[in-house]
Amino acid sequence: METVILTDPPRPARETVEAFSTIGVATVHEAMGRTGSISALRPIQQGARIAGTAVTVMSWPGDNLMIHAAIEQCGPGDILVVTTREPSSHGMFGELFATGLQRRGVVGALIDAGARDTQEMRDMGFPVWSRHVNVMGTVKSTPGAINVPIVVGGQVIDAGDIIVADDDGIVVVPRATADDALARSRARLAKEEATREAFVGGELGLDRYGMRPVLADLGVTYRRHPEADAS
């Protein structure tokens, strides 16, 4: 692994990134053809929905040196995304890191390892998604890399990619296709709103989605319950 800190990675337009913060992860995931989702990390809080540009960190297991170095590379609207060379459950991210990042305008963090000080981070309103919660600390002695492509939960994340995260999970929107993904997500939102109004009006999904012929083709039959007329 090359030990390098790449500075000033390209980022999508700010208005594009901010637009994703109003759209749920599930909607974006579906709009992109059910791609880009990360389910291995879970939120330490409830009720947070964020979108931001990735600052990526490759660290050594049990070592958070590169997180300290990465904070300098973070700015307003970014999301810190940390993974380790090998699986690690160490509590390598906590309230002090969150304080420094929040001061720089960072909107949240994804930690493919352990987080700690979770109550303190909830109290300060700094959203975090992590694989583990663990009080075990770390050292600061092993070099890694910043703003290089990394893999988290089976998804490749490069610096400047858009991360959308909420209670349901995380989705990665590649920077190169962000505008197309946003257009598709907005179209799906409109479709979902129309469906919601139809359901409020009493329409059934069986009819709206044309599933009755599907049931018939699969051999599903309707038959009155034998005790339906019993008094």
Side-chain angles (χ1 to χ4, degrees):
M1 177 182 70
E2 184 180 14
T3 53
V4 63
I5 297 175
L6 299 180
T7 65
D8 305 306
R11 292 171 169 85
R14 176 65 64 87
E15 57 268 23
T16 300
V17 180
E18 291 178 348
F20 277 105
S21 67
T22 65
I23 307 174
V25 166
T27 298
V28 178
H29 167 64
E30 294 283 355
M32 295 198 307
R34 293 185 293 176
T35 63
S37 67
I38 297 173
S39 60
L41 309 187
R42 302 305 302 162
I44 67 164
Q45 68 286 308
Q46 291 290 298
R49 174 176 292 166
I50 62 172
T53 43
V55 171
T56 62
V57 181
M58 174 62 77
S59 290
W60 201 261
D63 194 309
N64 66 7
L65 172 66
M66 299 311 292
I67 299 180
H68 284 277
I71 292 178
E72 184 181 27
Q73 305 305 316
C74 293
D78 284 337
I79 293 177
L80 185 72
V81 185
V82 181
T83 192
T84 54
R85 182 74 181 271
E86 299 290 340
S88 170
S89 62
H90 290 77
M92 62 193 303
F93 186 92
E95 176 259 338
L96 294 179
F97 275 140
T99 299
L101 290 170
Q102 194 173 62
R103 172 65 177 80
R104 299 179 73 86
V106 174
V107 298
L110 312 184
I111 310 298
D112 191 10
R116 59 184 187 176
D117 306 328
T118 56
Q119 185 62 58
E120 288 82 357
M121 290 191 289
R122 286 191 291 271
D123 290 343
M124 65 188 288
F126 189 83
V128 174
W129 286 252
S130 68
R131 188 179 289 267
H132 306 284
V133 174
N134 194 342
V135 300
M136 183 178 292
T138 57
V139 299
K140 302 166 179 59
S141 59
T142 315
I146 295 171
N147 284 331
V148 300
I150 61 175
V151 178
V152 176
Q155 298 297 328
V156 176
I157 304 174
D158 202 357
D161 286 347
I162 298 175
I163 305 296
V164 187
D166 61 18
D167 290 349
D168 292 338
I170 302 157
V171 67
V172 182
V173 181
R175 177 174 54 85
T177 59
D179 289 335
D180 179 67
L182 179 57
R184 291 173 180 270
S185 297
R186 284 172 165 165
R188 185 169 181 87
L189 272 181
K191 180 180 178 181
E192 290 174 350
E193 179 57 30
T195 300
R196 184 178 300 107
E197 291 179 2
F199 287 172
V200 169
E203 186 176 4
L204 296 175
L206 281 175
D207 299 312
R208 185 167 185 82
Y209 300 132
M211 292 188 291
R212 293 189 189 277
V214 176
L215 291 175
D217 290 344
L218 292 173
V220 178
T221 61
Y222 285 81
R223 193 164 57 238
R224 190 170 178 79
H225 194 281
E227 297 181 21
D229 297 323
S231 58

